[in-house]
Amino acid sequence: QWNAKPVEDLWKELQKGNSKSLLKKHLTEDRYKVLKDKKTSLGGNLAQCISSGALHAGSKVGIYACDPAVYTDPEWKDLFSLVIQDYHTGNPNNNVKHPEPSFGTPEQIDGLGDLDPTGYFVKSTRVRVARSHQGMPFPPAAKKEDFEKMEKLACEGLSTLTGELAGTYYPLRGMDKATQNKMINDHFLFRADDSVLGDAGGYNCWDTGRGIFHNKDKTFLTWLNEEDHFRFISMQMGGNLGQVYKRLVTAINHIETKMKFAKADGLGYLTFCPTNLGTTMRASVHVRVPMLSKDPKVLNDICAKYNLQPRGIHGEHSESKGGVYDISNKRRLGLTEWDAVNEMKNGVLEIIKEEAKLTWTPEPLDQLYNKVSKGESQSLMKKFLTADVYNKLKDKKTSLGGTLAHCINSGCLHLGSKVGIYACDPEAYTVFEDVFNPVIKAYHKVDSINHPEPTFGTDAEVAALENIDPENKMVLSTRIRVARSHAKYPFPPACTSEDLENMQDDTVAALKTLTGELAGNYYPLNKMDEATQKQMVEDHFLFRDDDDVLRDAGGYKYWDTGRGIFHNKDKTFLTWVNEEDHLRLISMQKGGDLGAVYRRLVKAIGELEKKLTFAKRKGYGYLTFCPSNLGTTLRASVHMAIPNVSKQPNFKEFCEKYSIQPRGIHGEHSESEGGVYDLSNKRRLGLTEYQAVREMLDGVLQIKKWEEEL
Ligand code: ADP
Ligand code: ADP
Ligand code: MG
């Protein structure tokens, strides 16, 4: 049996804190003195009502009804009326009367529809209403026998449900902790650890009479004696509010014929917490708003404008994760059920509209194709996306909703692109293979896509990788990187913000297990100050986020969520997390000792392969966002001073002959400085890792020889 602290102590507590609650605002000293020693007609008292609000200075409301009598007893109802009107109407002195229940006509309900046909924004939709048994006390004033009686009545009523709504009752008592936790994490079951509710007496006689009823699919559920006697819940994945609402209305209509619920004139259905009175309805979505919520004020302002309430992902008094919020109607009293659900619908549609404006999406496909067809592009994408291929692919989609537009957006906007196509997710290589396959063959100079198994070379072969510049004259630094993708996540354009955060967690957990020379720390981008970032970019350690080619490919979607860099003390081993690829493993150092750089990288790859499962496909090798990286995914480069060679008219041709790719000094799509070029192997597919490094070594030595001759 739960007991509130003495009312005098609670009153003192309330005066002490700087609480902004409606309780503190409306329980004046005069009102306190009138009520402090009174009992309600059902035997409840003031301490039970104010306990939680007094102990939790952060509460917004702070007052609970110890029993239904407080809403109607003459001495009590004025205090509650002030709180009720303030919460639901914004003005305590209003006298808004709650209308009779009205759920909308069947035609209206059928027209409610899906809030998010794209499926990108709304994870799940849920509508719940609360009900209280007529003539029974709320939890703080209830006794063990009351809870038992209520459970029995409820089970009798629920057992009469049929069809989709038919289900089974599972009492909390006897349910093992693992099952409970799983159901809580999946958002089906209530938690019993909300101290705000606990201090209101909500857990009195726990877990007597508590339990959950649900149908087979857990789309219709009923909570017994959590906060309210009943919470009837309809929920499902996705944004189909119409289906969710209709299911709930069907259930309520049936149950109303089996049980008597507490109601009062002008207040609607009576509930333990005054915020739930009236319709008692909370219609919510779990919606992905990582961009809008970057600045909490922006999201809060939209919510205020549309009478919405944002909550964290695990319910009231919890935090958001991965930019996902629970958004619901705030008002429950003074409007009909139909109006409340529409209030939520309109606000959520607006939120999705605003979030969509901030979220990367490709331009319409026909416009893109028109641009690239008319323009001067020399890209492989343009070459192989003939009218026939275009017509064959233009309406296809991957299972994650990826389209041809996602893949070619960047190539169509940047007519100078050489490749011009990215895979929006791993499946794109299959769904759009008519364009990808010829691009891959042409880029990597292979007749068929038949990549060998990873082969890093024997010890003797690795030992034979010579120092490119033992005199230390021309090579500033040497770097080798490989890309890896998690098998279970898509590429950036198809990622959700949660994917990015979860991926980051998985990657960092694996990196943290590295030891010795490879051991290091992870630095998330969103916690790194501007100056540090700039310095790391200048020193060639960190990626930039100013490459328009990558941006227009969707590579910066939800930037900088889930992005960061891991490196060892000396910055000779680094991992880029969610730049272009999920992981870029990098080994680098000053000078030309290619062998040392390669050995370090091979070791790191071996260690990480033990911890993580990377996306691979037979013949294609490791899968990457850009088709130019498929296969070995390996790029071995030197920064080398070639002021004379680089001025020769046949420089590019010479590079091409040795399959060497020259880049500017600040990475792809950047310029050279002072005759220093980034020279690397161009081919990554159709040869082994060892061969790729050798190809780079042989080509670079030729260029070096040429420079020495000039
Ligand atoms: P209520 O006011 O309905 O009791 P809470 O904020 O206490 O809601 O949350 C109860 C549970 O319902 C939590 O597990 C929460 O994550 C879950 N929930 C709420 N809205 C949704 C939704 N749209 N989709 C999935 N789960 C939800
Ligand atoms: P990648 O294809 O590996 O992502 P980028 O061309 O995008 O390479 O360059 C990434 C960063 O790596 C840039 O800062 C670039 O200057 C740096 N970098 C590349 N090769 C070397 C090298 N050999 N030495 C030092 N820095 C290098
Ligand atoms: Mg709740």
Side-chain angles (χ1 to χ4, degrees):
Q1 188 77 32
W2 174 84
N3 282 308
K5 292 190 174 157
V7 72
E8 290 83 4
D9 294 357
L10 293 168
W11 171 253
K12 265 190 227 137
E13 201 65 41
L14 187 64
Q15 300 317 303
K16 212 167 67 189
N18 53 350
S19 161
K20 301 240 180 330
S21 67
L22 298 179
L23 166 67
K24 180 139 183 198
K25 181 169 167 192
H26 297 298
L27 185 65
T28 58
E29 184 143 25
D30 288 349
R31 290 196 188 100
Y32 166 71
K33 281 185 179 147
V34 171
L35 294 175
K36 75 190 246 311
D37 301 315
K38 286 230 162 59
K39 285 213 146 91
T40 74
S41 56
L42 288 170
N45 60 47
L46 187 64
Q48 293 169 340
C49 299
I50 71 170
S51 166
S52 182
L55 299 177
H56 297 270
S59 291
K60 300 215 170 79
V61 179
I63 188 165
Y64 284 84
C66 55
D67 58 44
V70 296
Y71 294 124
T72 44
D73 279 4
E75 301 96 335
W76 291 83
K77 71 175 191 199
D78 289 349
L79 170 62
F80 277 86
S81 173
L82 290 165
V83 171
I84 291 164
Q85 295 293 333
D86 204 349
Y87 178 87
H88 292 277
T89 77
N91 180 352
N93 301 315
N94 276 346
N95 191 16
V96 173
K97 294 264 178 260
H98 188 68
E100 279 302 298
S102 172
F103 292 91
T105 65
E107 297 74 39
Q108 282 175 320
I109 294 175
D110 282 337
L112 209 49
D114 194 332
L115 298 178
D116 176 31
T118 73
Y120 295 150
F121 300 98
V122 177
K123 283 188 73 172
S124 52
T125 306
R126 174 181 186 265
V127 186
R128 59 88 163 156
V129 293
R131 291 288 184 271
S132 308
H133 289 279
Q134 204 175 57
M136 300 296 286
F138 294 143
K143 297 193 181 59
K144 197 158 177 286
E145 309 80 78
D146 295 323
F147 287 111
E148 283 162 353
K149 181 177 164 194
M150 286 192 277
E151 182 181 37
K152 186 160 171 289
L153 279 173
C155 285
E156 283 167 14
L158 289 166
S159 70
T160 65
L161 287 164
T162 55
E164 185 198 15
L165 301 172
T168 310
Y169 176 67
Y170 306 89
L172 211 58
R173 182 167 291 174
M175 193 189 293
D176 64 85
K177 271 274 166 253
T179 310
Q180 279 190 39
N181 286 338
K182 168 103 178 66
M183 290 242 277
I184 290 170
N185 284 334
D186 293 345
H187 306 288
F188 295 123
L189 184 62
F190 45 85
R191 304 176 291 149
D193 62 354
D194 180 349
S195 57
V196 175
L197 187 54
D199 287 326
Y203 299 149
N204 187 14
C205 300
W206 199 262
D207 46 11
T208 303
R210 272 68 173 201
I212 182 170
F213 169 96
H214 64 77
N215 66 357
K216 200 168 106 304
D217 298 337
K218 302 202 186 90
T219 53
F220 174 72
L221 309 96
T222 306
W223 291 356
L224 292 197
N225 293 312
E226 180 243 11
E227 176 174 327
D228 285 302
H229 298 167
F230 292 97
R231 287 284 172 96
F232 296 110
I233 299 161
S234 169
M235 66 197 282
Q236 67 191 43
M237 298 311 279
N240 201 320
L241 180 63
Q243 284 176 7
V244 171
Y245 185 71
K246 185 172 180 174
R247 186 185 302 120
L248 186 69
V249 173
T250 310
I252 297 169
N253 284 341
H254 172 82
I255 285 174
E256 288 275 358
T257 67
K258 301 286 166 191
M259 283 178 268
K260 287 259 174 296
F261 298 126
K263 257 169 105 181
D265 257 0
L267 292 175
Y269 292 97
L270 299 183
T271 53
F272 180 23
C273 178
T275 65
N276 282 320
L277 288 175
T279 59
T280 74
M281 197 168 90
R282 195 171 82 87
S284 68
V285 284
H286 277 181
V287 62
R288 302 185 174 103
V289 286
M291 301 308 286
L292 267 186
S293 62
K294 276 201 167 164
D295 180 355
K297 191 179 169 311
V298 174
L299 183 65
N300 285 337
D301 284 354
I302 300 187
C303 286
K305 183 164 160 211
Y306 287 90
N307 287 330
L308 299 175
Q309 184 187 50
R311 295 186 176 184
I313 191 72
H314 287 292
E316 206 171 0
H317 316 124
S318 74
E319 296 295 315
S320 152
K321 178 148 199 297
V324 181
Y325 281 79
D326 172 331
I327 305 282
S328 60
N329 59 301
K330 185 173 177 220
R331 301 197 302 150
R332 305 187 225 295
L333 182 125
L335 72 181
T336 65
E337 285 79 358
W338 174 246
D339 289 337
V341 77
N342 275 285
E343 193 152 274
M344 173 271 203
K345 172 182 169 170
N346 296 334
V348 168
L349 287 178
E350 186 64 22
I351 284 183
I352 292 175
K353 202 172 106 199
E354 290 302 313
E355 178 70 12
K357 280 190 206 159
L358 302 173
T359 307
W360 179 85
T361 40
E363 292 189 5
L365 182 61
D366 48 348
Q367 287 176 28
L368 289 170
Y369 193 60
N370 196 20
K371 262 181 209 163
V372 77
S373 309
K374 287 205 188 120
E376 301 258 294
S377 165
Q378 301 289 319
S379 71
L380 296 174
M381 177 268 288
K382 174 164 175 175
K383 181 167 173 196
F384 296 111
L385 192 62
T386 59
D388 280 354
V389 175
Y390 174 78
N391 284 321
K392 186 171 166 198
L393 301 183
K394 70 181 170 44
D395 299 320
K396 292 201 169 170
K397 271 192 177 176
T398 70
S399 48
L400 287 166
T403 63
L404 186 60
H406 284 88
C407 300
I408 67 171
N409 190 66
S410 182
C412 295
L413 299 182
H414 300 275
L415 297 181
S417 291
K418 302 220 170 73
V419 178
I421 187 164
Y422 286 84
C424 54
D425 59 49
E427 206 191 321
Y429 284 118
T430 312
V431 175
F432 305 112
E433 65 181 7
D434 293 293
V435 56
F436 274 108
N437 283 350
V439 168
I440 292 165
K441 287 183 205 163
Y443 179 88
H444 296 279
K445 303 181 184 169
V446 292
D447 298 328
S448 64
I449 300 179
N450 193 13
H451 188 70
E453 280 301 299
T455 311
F456 293 92
T458 62
D459 288 351
E461 283 170 328
V462 175
L465 291 172
E466 60 200 273
N467 190 324
I468 301 171
D469 183 29
E471 311 84 28
N472 241 329
K473 279 195 325 219
M474 292 165 69
V475 175
L476 279 68
S477 52
T478 304
R479 173 182 185 268
I480 311 180
R481 58 87 164 157
V482 292
R484 289 291 183 270
S485 311
H486 289 278
K488 60 177 183 183
Y489 298 103
F491 298 143
C495 272
T496 63
S497 51
E498 304 139 272
D499 287 336
L500 289 161
E501 284 203 353
N502 291 336
M503 242 193 293
Q504 172 178 257
D505 291 349
D506 293 356
T507 303
V508 173
L511 288 168
K512 285 266 165 76
T513 67
L514 293 173
T515 55
E517 188 197 10
L518 301 174
N521 285 314
Y522 179 66
Y523 307 90
L525 218 58
N526 57 16
K527 298 216 176 82
M528 199 187 291
D529 62 81
E530 285 278 326
T532 311
Q533 276 190 43
K534 214 168 147 244
Q535 187 61 51
M536 291 247 277
V537 170
E538 260 170 43
D539 294 346
H540 306 288
F541 294 125
L542 185 61
F543 44 88
R544 307 171 287 148
D545 72 332
D546 60 355
D547 180 348
D548 291 335
V549 175
L550 188 53
R551 173 177 299 106
D552 288 325
Y556 298 154
K557 193 172 172 193
Y558 300 132
W559 197 266
D560 44 12
T561 304
R563 271 73 170 203
I565 185 169
F566 172 95
H567 63 74
N568 66 359
K569 202 167 103 304
D570 298 337
K571 302 203 185 92
T572 53
F573 172 69
L574 309 95
T575 303
W576 291 356
V577 176
N578 291 321
E579 181 242 11
E580 175 175 326
D581 285 301
H582 298 169
L583 298 91
R584 285 282 176 96
L585 309 176
I586 299 162
S587 170
M588 65 197 284
Q589 67 190 47
K590 298 264 182 234
D593 192 347
L594 183 65
V597 172
Y598 186 64
R599 273 190 294 274
R600 189 187 300 121
L601 183 68
V602 172
K603 182 154 183 246
I605 296 171
E607 291 301 318
L608 292 173
E609 290 268 359
K610 290 185 208 156
K611 310 277 171 186
L612 299 169
T613 308
F614 296 125
K616 256 169 104 180
R617 180 173 160 194
K618 201 168 164 19
Y620 290 72
Y622 290 100
L623 296 183
T624 52
F625 182 25
C626 179
S628 70
N629 282 320
L630 289 173
T632 59
T633 74
L634 184 143
R635 195 171 82 87
S637 66
V638 283
H639 277 181
M640 189 156 88
I642 44 168
N644 298 307
V645 161
S646 59
K647 282 197 212 101
Q648 303 304 308
N650 58 339
F651 170 54
K652 293 250 157 84
E653 260 167 68
F654 193 88
C655 287
E656 190 65 26
K657 180 172 153 203
Y658 288 98
S659 290
I660 292 292
Q661 186 187 50
R663 293 185 177 185
I665 190 78
H666 291 293
E668 206 173 1
H669 315 124
S670 75
E671 298 297 313
S672 153
E673 265 172 39
V676 178
Y677 276 79
D678 171 330
L679 302 173
S680 63
N681 60 302
K682 185 177 173 208
R683 300 197 305 144
R684 307 190 220 296
L685 181 117
L687 72 182
T688 69
E689 283 78 358
Y690 182 73
Q691 285 166 342
V693 175
R694 270 248 70 104
E695 187 156 281
M696 172 270 198
L697 177 58
D698 295 342
V700 167
L701 288 175
Q702 291 296 330
I703 294 173
K704 190 182 166 214
K705 197 166 129 230
W706 190 17
E707 178 71 27
E708 282 163 349
E709 284 164 12
L710 288 170

